[in-house]
Amino acid sequence: MKKINVRTKSKSYDVLIGQNVFSQLIKDLNKTDFKVLVVCDSNVYKLHKNRIDDLLNSKKNFYVYAFNSTERNKNLRNTGLIYKYLMKNNFSRKDSIIALGGGIVGDVAGFVAATYMRGIPFYQVPTTLLSVVDSSVGGKTGVNFLEVKNLIGAFYQPEKVYADLNFLETLPLKEIISGAGEIFKYAFLADEENYLLIRNRLAKLLSEKKFDENLFARCIKLKSSVVENDEKEISGLRKVLNLGHTFAHAFESTMKFQIKHGEAVIAGIFASLIVSKKLGLVSESELKKYLSDFQFLPINKKLFSIDLNTVIKFMKSDKKTSEGKIKLVLISKPGNVLIDVSVKEQLVKKSLEELFERFRGV
Ligand SMILES: NC(=O)c1ccc[n+]([C@@H]2O[C@H](COP(=O)([O-])OP(=O)(O)OC[C@H]3O[C@@H](n4cnc5c(N)ncnc54)[C@H](O)[C@@H]3O)[C@@H](O)[C@H]2O)c1
């Protein structure tokens, strides 16, 4: 088992990664008499019923609220239903929430925890690859609003994260690929050695489907070192974690969420590399090397017929843009990520055309 301590200004907490760390959560919570609402992905509940029931039966004050975790359900209507459930069962500020599921459950349950009675404790139990390596750590919570991703939200750190690798065993390949999208970005967030290590371990994960706690611990350490220095995206440092995401959010919105978030991130990072080349930040040979190093990451073919004008429209309305200009996170080399680079709309469009051209034949 690996343990990583995350120290932010608002909270210091541990992330446990390993087989069966879920049983540790049961032990930890049984030390208190407070009520606990398990906000659970309904798929995960079906697939891991025995283990989750062990938790629910371990004390009388456990409640469960399960929902179908889709982007459509990541909304204020759903949070309203959870507030009602908490009210009906007289949850007070001392009681807590467990988010048991992927990034959608974590973002929704975390936002409810951040706002119910101005904040109650919450625990993350991530069950997808993406949520283990990314969304369960760092305190971003929120919901979509009017087709815009994560428009309503709060920064709110969990009390503790229990990343139990046994849950990942039931993940379909599509979800593993989606999680790989968020791991991809970490390859560029530190030096060349880190790039190679992440590239090789990620390739192995996809070919052998073995979940590697050392790889996950590295990703979480990289994320926590960024979050510790810029918890609320004030200095701007945290924006490095958005590599590929301005594209990704626009792909998701244009496709009305008919693409997985991590799949959109894979295409978004490739697109950012192409923009970086067009601006002279990386050479054609460096670009070729990056594309070939990560060619094992597939591009969702539905993207090839996407309407580029709509993508650009969404990119201009993204939270990370200002005054109508498209601001992107770009790369000059691993460990040298540039934030807030203003890029002309036309160059972004040409880069997307080049992206689809390069990948259409692959
Ligand atoms: N808060 C953050 O910092 C942050 C960072 C990245 C992404 N996100 C958000 O995370 C969301 C995506 O998260 P996700 O990719 O985990 O998606 P998700 O929560 O929708 O889960 C994906 C699918 O996997 C299923 N699933 C979950 N666990 C499973 C398991 N163990 N076995 C089998 N199936 C399982 C779910 O039912 C769902 O169908 C997006 O909404 C994105 O905006 C948030």
Side-chain angles (χ1 to χ4, degrees):
M1 186 191 78
K2 300 263 166 207
K3 180 157 113 180
I4 293 155
N5 184 249
V6 182
R7 284 166 194 269
T8 68
K9 282 208 179 88
S10 66
K11 198 172 283 170
S12 163
Y13 57 94
D14 286 335
V15 181
L16 307 184
I17 315 160
Q19 307 291 340
N20 211 23
V21 294
F22 190 59
S23 57
Q24 184 62 42
L25 168 70
I26 301 181
K27 277 191 209 139
D28 288 350
L29 286 176
N30 272 309
K31 290 180 196 148
T32 76
D33 285 332
F34 302 126
K35 291 180 201 168
V36 181
L37 174 66
V38 184
V39 177
C40 185
D41 179 309
S42 43
N43 252 336
V44 176
Y45 190 51
K46 268 185 231 139
L47 290 165
H48 298 272
K49 192 169 180 327
N50 290 347
R51 298 184 77 204
I52 297 169
D53 283 347
D54 280 350
L55 171 77
L56 296 173
N57 297 330
S58 68
K59 88 191 197 111
K60 61 178 183 314
N61 289 348
F62 272 114
Y63 297 75
V64 65
Y65 177 97
F67 73 95
N68 185 8
S69 73
T70 59
E71 289 290 343
R72 291 254 163 253
N73 285 340
K74 186 176 166 179
N75 61 15
L76 290 173
R77 184 179 168 274
N78 199 14
T79 58
L81 293 172
I82 306 175
Y83 297 136
K84 268 193 195 158
Y85 190 89
L86 291 167
M87 271 178 76
K88 204 176 92 193
N89 291 292
N90 299 316
F91 269 64
S92 74
R93 203 176 269 158
K94 292 183 197 140
D95 301 320
S96 56
I97 288 182
I98 295 175
L100 203 165
I104 291 189
V105 165
D107 282 7
V108 169
F111 183 64
V112 169
T115 45
Y116 182 73
M117 293 191 165
R118 298 198 180 87
I120 63 173
F122 92 110
Y123 301 83
Q124 288 270 18
V125 183
T127 65
T128 59
L129 186 54
L130 181 143
S131 55
V132 167
V133 297
D134 192 354
S135 62
S136 62
V137 176
K140 277 193 178 176
T141 71
V143 294
N144 306 327
F145 191 69
L146 298 179
E147 305 285 346
V148 182
K149 283 272 299 179
N150 305 330
L151 189 74
I152 312 293
F155 287 99
Y156 196 65
Q157 303 291 345
E159 300 298 308
K160 199 161 173 175
V161 181
Y162 299 81
D164 186 326
L165 304 187
N166 294 346
F167 281 116
L168 305 186
E169 296 299 334
T170 51
L171 280 177
L173 179 63
K174 205 173 170 55
E175 298 305 333
I176 297 177
I177 291 169
S178 178
E182 295 289 6
I183 298 178
F184 186 15
K185 79 178 172 209
Y186 291 116
F188 293 96
L189 299 194
D191 58 14
E192 202 62 50
E193 191 189 329
N194 174 73
Y195 172 88
L196 274 179
L197 194 144
I198 295 213
R199 188 254 162 227
N200 293 341
R201 287 181 179 245
L202 181 56
K204 200 159 174 227
L205 188 158
L206 286 185
S207 61
E208 295 177 10
K209 315 273 170 312
K210 275 213 189 101
F211 300 108
D212 172 354
E213 61 181 45
N214 289 312
L215 171 64
F216 300 163
R218 176 167 285 256
C219 295
I220 293 167
K221 272 190 201 146
L222 283 165
K223 177 151 186 185
S224 62
S225 66
V226 171
V227 170
E228 283 170 2
N229 288 306
D230 184 22
E231 184 179 3
K232 298 193 174 166
E233 228 165 85
I234 291 169
S235 74
L237 175 67
R238 190 169 176 155
K239 290 183 187 169
V240 299
L241 297 170
N242 292 331
L243 177 62
H245 280 62
T246 303
F247 282 108
H249 289 159
F251 294 150
E252 289 177 272
S253 297
T254 306
M255 292 171 73
K256 302 204 182 324
F257 303 114
Q258 296 304 303
I259 179 170
K260 300 294 315 171
H261 176 71
E263 286 181 309
V265 172
I266 293 174
I269 295 177
F270 285 136
S272 307
L273 284 165
I274 292 174
V275 174
S276 299
K277 184 209 67 174
K278 286 197 182 296
L279 291 177
L281 296 168
V282 302
S283 64
E284 172 65 26
S285 64
E286 285 165 330
L287 173 68
K288 274 197 178 135
K289 178 186 175 310
Y290 296 141
L291 298 184
S292 130
D293 283 350
F294 286 95
Q295 67 177 357
F296 60 87
L297 292 176
I299 289 249
N300 185 324
K301 297 208 166 23
K302 283 187 204 155
L303 279 166
F304 298 160
S305 49
I306 202 168
D307 178 40
L308 292 187
N309 292 328
T310 315
V311 174
I312 300 286
K313 188 192 89 196
F314 278 114
M315 287 182 86
K316 284 162 97 179
S317 68
D318 191 275
K319 299 189 290 304
K320 293 158 206 91
T321 66
S322 66
E323 292 153 20
K325 283 188 194 140
I326 301 179
K327 286 199 174 173
L328 294 175
V329 180
L330 298 177
I331 299 156
S332 81
K333 62 176 187 182
N336 198 352
V337 174
L338 297 99
I339 56 171
D340 284 339
V341 185
S342 284
V343 183
K344 285 191 188 140
E345 187 180 318
Q346 204 51 26
L347 190 134
V348 173
K349 208 168 162 188
K350 288 246 168 300
S351 302
L352 284 169
E353 283 163 1
E354 183 175 333
L355 171 78
F356 299 144
E357 199 54 43
R358 280 179 186 262
F359 280 86
R360 219 169 246 132
V362 175

